[in-house]
Amino acid sequence: MLWEIDIHPSPGQKDRLAVGVAASARDLHLAGGLQVSAASGYLLQGTLSADEARRAARELLADGVVERTVVAPIGDPALTKLADEAAHQRPPTLVHVLPKPGVMDPVAESTTRALTDMGLAVRAVRTLRKFWLSGLSDAQLRTLCSKVLANDAIEQVVIGPLKLNRLDIGSEYTFQLVTVPLRSLADDELVQLSRRQQLSLSLAEMRTIRDHFASLSRDPTDVELETIAQTWSEHCSHKTLKGRIAYHDERGPRQFKNMLQETIFAATVEVRKKLGSDDWCVSVFEDNAGVVRFDSEHNAVFKVETHNHPSAIEPYGGANTGLGGVIRDTLGTGLGARPVANTDVFCFAPPDLPADGLPQGVLHPRRVMTGVAAGVRDYGNRMGIPTVNGAIYFDERYLGNPLVFCGNVGILPRDKSKKNARAGDLIVAIGGRTGRDGIHGATFSSIELTHESETVSGGAVQIGNAITEKMLLDVVLAARDRGLFTAITDCGAGGFSSAVGEMGERIGAEVQLDRVPLKYHGLSYTEIWISEAQERMVLAVPPDKWEAFTALAAAEGVEATALGRFVPTGRLKLKYGDHEVADLSMKFLHDGRPPVVREAVYTPPPVRPLAPPEKSDYTPDLLAILGTYNVASKEWVIRQYDHEVQGGSVIKPLVGAKRDGPGDAAVFRPVLSSRRGLVVACGLNPRYGDLDPYAMAAGAIDEAVRNCVAVGADPARIALLDNFCWGNTDRPERLGPLVRAALACYDVATKLGTPFISGKDSLNNEFRYVVPATGDATGILPVRGATVGATGILPVPSGETRTIAIPGTLLISALGQIEDVSRAVTMDLKEAGSAIVLVGLTKNELGGSHFAMVQKLDGGHVPRADASYARRVFAAMHAAIDAGLVRACHDLSEGGLAVAAAEMAFAGGLGAKLDLSHVPQESGYRLPAEKGPPLPAASLLFSESQTRFLCEVGHDTLPHFAQVLGDVPHAVIGEATATGRLQIAAPGAPGAPSKGSSPPLVIDAPIDALKEAWQSPLRW
Amino acid sequence: MPPRVLILRAPGTNCDVETAFAFERAGGKAERVHVNRLLENPRLLAEFQVLCIPGGFCYGDDIAAGRILAAQMQHHLRDFIREFKDAGKLILGICNGFQALVRSGVLLPDAPDGAPAATLAWNASGKFEDRWIRLKTAPSPCVFFQGIETMVMPVAHGEGRFVTRDEATLVQLEAAGQLPLRYAPWDVAGVSRSERPATASPPLTKGGQGGLAGEQTSLRETPGTFVPYPDNPNGSQLDVAGVCDATGRVCGLMPHPERHIDPTQHPEWTRRKEQPEAGDGLAVFQNAVRYFQ
């Protein structure tokens, strides 16, 4: 029997589902005459009487105060009728949306358990949403279904009455060993096989595998071939960046044997060597996350991952499983770190792109953005991990390839920081069950997306279940504290294949695949082995601890299964029943891959002058920059994240007199009984990369570090993560800029003394599609031509194949520390009358700036960080903040001085009066006019020169402040006022007014207007 | 002897550690106990003086916030919780714990026909929000708010809009002093609006447009509220942030007192020249501990 229970809002209550649909339809200009009514529902399969079904509705599923229910067997006309059908002007069409069979449905799982707990005989549950829609043409209805109501990757749409008779899925599996006749294949057949099976292996790699098995005089089984493909995937082995690269730029050639080893890792080695006995790194680039010392009892761990391709296809599921995955990285570091903070950085195309004419297979950026934010919200909030930091960056080139960076910080007892699986330990799977979820996720993330990806790769898309992961987390930490396991790792990309393969790399492992608990029948042994079902981890449990371990897991309702054993054979053996299905040498698996050899070329674009327009009033420019999506307030997203759970919050993402100003970095106390704090910040500026990726990378590091320093972090204790997201690096001109950025990472990190402790890269972020061949769908898409910075939405002839590559994007994440959180500082102005001091040199660096963006200007000098100088500035700023001399401090980034001053003023609810004549400039400082021509006002206001801070300092402490700053360039450029206006006076220049009168104002605006410009774009 | 506090945790509970920390700081002796232990052995409850259900997303808030834990309490723990109440002990539900207390009928008795007295419905804004709010107390027997006039602390929830079954229930709860905690305007300048007597019954618009038409206005002008969004963050009737039973010993509130026990948790602490010794929320836990001394 199949019952349906529909939940409708009571009369007078808002129809939330319908409101959401109507709003999304409006955003996409889908239907003016649309009317919507909605209900959520549950399908229950089981031997229930009508009374029992009504009891389920009354006691569990519906809220008796604000909801009403319809309970009927499926097929009953009561289910299709709408109570207030009269509200619709035309007879509505009924549309059902259900998760596709096998797609994770957490609510259905919980409901099944809760109904069983009530004593009701329910066998399976599925959730659904249903909509009564009127005022649409058939074509509009189809568009609404595919663009708003459902995502085809995970959901099915049923128009009209539901005709189902059962919910449970799966059929019995009959074992059949599959071997792949590899030895007989020619080169072109090898390539075809790799593509057909989604192995993502190159010809050289396929040949190596063929020859290996030829030497064994047998063909591989399918699961052997899949295991090798997973292990050798770009996603798991980072073979490009760890490979050989012949690099060439204007300074000549350079050969890398292992590019990352010789740049990013090398910087860390050098920094640690200099620190000597004061080295505070604990474990770098070896575990699932980087580990550094925190206090006498704890280490801190940090990792940032990307989940780009899944988020492009299913934003909600992609983002929530992305966050779930990085949380498991933390939990899988050492013997299990406790996650204490999330950080999330996204790159999207602008949300106001026209909805018509998007390339086929591309979701609208606004839908991607709301879906991704909701995915992070629902997972992070349910996990009880505060999301404390983030950024959102917009560029048209992220249209087909949005970037979703999810990061997690953890705290680890010092004596639990290393893992060591031993021969004889049991291989234990814990957490969620295994289904067909995410098969080929690892190889999928290593290929280009195309307009067909949505249909061919749907299986790689998953939905997370945060509560399963929270339960897993609770058990792992309790088991850790009782010493019940010797090693742990997360089951991420590649599933058991990667997890067991890595953990047993130096030992050997035997796994009995039929022991794996399954969500439903019918999985083959290969599917079990490579499934990427979420919320699973693999542990090494000594046999004498097994009893205690299973008892602990059972006590918390978590499933734990011993799948096999680590054995000292150096081989990976898989069995299904009595059948051996794989027997691979660990050595071949991990060291057998032929090296990837790539070429990389970088040719610097010629520097073209950028002449800013000379104006008497730059207020409109400031308002325009404040209103760019990159700079604009992200309060809409931030408030949806719980950023205070765990109770350690010190500096929140939003600060100031109205708690809505943009904080530079998050500060929190991970150990509640201690005053010591962690600081999290990030740096990202792809626009600079168009001019010079070296400057981009150096700037991202400078920005991440200065954000930490601005709130009070000690610059001598800042650890960095690198996340490269790039286009197709098979092309030398794409890989060249990446290498150049990595060289900058080495130079800057060594000079600043900020080690990289972990990182991750995501390559092949390109989107390929065919421009539709019909007249009205000409294809509106972003184009960047040869002239860098000239962005625009241009029509493109139909029928052509186009590729959109993302701008080379390097995210630098920083983890800082602060000895006593009560010395932390926020960016909002505190008191009228205080002095405003600009620290650092302003240069003529408008290249890649947001001023250039809103003025549509090309060329110019990109901001360049001087790391040796920056180290002095950071140390001096920290000393001043630590001595309590700074009342407010804000870093200067997008929009330069003018934006920083505006943000400080409106965050503090105060005015400010500044004079550009006093700005310390490159040509000298304190008295620029005497040492050379001053910079034009536009540069002084909007240049994005690195390593600068704007500080509020009390007049009584100014001398002390100046003394601590020493020879670091700085000057008092004005003061905080009670006028409620930001007023900035022009520098002394030709045509300046005569002595005695004050110089003219180049910026003059009420702070309320500035704040409105900043808040309105993303006030969703 | 400090009172023993049972911090009940279920799958998805996530404020248990900091809530235990707050009770300990207030002088209590807190122990985090999994609901499975209590279901196996409900007599465990009798060993404690305070039962606290902390914040989080128990069972993922699947179906509705707190619903599945509430069903477990209703079906398996009802008698033991009644005994606990009758023994003069304290029960506190914070955020998700408040939702579970309301939905289980532990806080407010169901009507004779089984209909619940009140619910915590979706926020009028339609979304989960984390923001700081100001609270003021109304005269009540509630143990937890004795001696407290105003507090600031954060809310972080999607389902916190307090709605009663009917107007009579609301009037009766208010008259009995069972609505002890109300949202108030953050800015002192706006206080005059909230200073309207909390005993006056505001206009309760029933019916209304619902659906799409009411959407834009419902954010700021929810029927039956004095304090506009976002100071009343969810559109609760009478700006209710916390509710107690007739004895004042069972209480639930949406805001998180455990997130404001330290001065540096305050969102504007860097704007203060002097820091207080503790955050406002600590007094809630101290009241619970003091009750047994």
Side-chain angles (χ1 to χ4, degrees), chain A residues 876 925-926 961-970:
Chain A
Y925 63 97
R926 289 174 204 280
F961 180 83
Q963 188 196 336
V964 173
L965 270 265
D967 61 355
V968 166
H970 69 281

Side-chain angles (χ1 to χ4, degrees), chain A residues 100-165:
Chain A
K100 285 184 175 170
V103 165
M104 167 71 79
D105 187 352
V107 176
E109 289 186 14
S110 296
T111 306
T112 310
R113 277 196 296 270
L115 289 169
T116 309
D117 187 56
M118 286 169 63
L120 298 176
V122 170
R123 186 163 161 191
V125 174
R126 198 178 304 168
T127 62
L128 62 88
R129 284 167 291 144
K130 56 202 294 184
F131 304 92
W132 287 264
L133 305 154
S134 61
L136 295 175
S137 69
D138 284 356
Q140 284 174 323
L141 180 68
R142 276 196 301 276
T143 312
L144 191 77
C145 286
S146 69
K147 297 219 182 230
V148 174
L149 298 184
N151 186 336
D152 186 50
I154 53 163
E155 290 168 323
Q156 59 187 110
V157 169
V158 177
I159 297 181
L162 268 186
K163 290 176 188 127
L164 280 172
N165 47 31

Side-chain angles (χ1 to χ4, degrees), chain A residues 36-37 68 124 143 396 442 538 566 659 681 712 740 744 784 977 1002 1006:
Chain A
V36 197
S37 306
R68 65 179 181 85
T143 312
E396 291 91 340
V538 171
F566 292 107
R659 307 163 304 286
R740 194 174 177 88
R784 285 211 180 196
T977 66
V1002 284

Side-chain angles (χ1 to χ4, degrees), chain A residues 182-184 206-220 228 571 583-585 588 592:
Chain A
L182 200 61
R183 288 175 296 168
S184 57
M206 289 297 286
R207 278 182 184 152
T208 304
I209 298 168
R210 180 187 61 192
D211 297 348
H212 175 75
F213 282 95
S215 76
L216 300 175
S217 308
R218 68 175 176 96
D219 279 316
I228 297 167
R571 302 198 71 80
D583 180 6
L584 286 167
S585 135
F588 176 72

Side-chain angles (χ1 to χ4, degrees), chain B residues 105-149:
Chain B
V106 169
L107 188 51
L108 302 173
D110 293 345
D113 66 352
T119 191
L120 291 161
W122 263 92
N123 294 351
S125 68
K127 54 191 178 194
F128 178 101
E129 283 193 319
D130 176 339
R131 60 169 73 247
W132 279 66
I133 43 84
R134 182 176 295 281
L135 299 161
K136 60 177 185 124
T137 55
S140 91
C142 185
V143 170
F144 296 91
F145 305 128
Q146 292 305 310
I148 298 173
E149 283 177 18

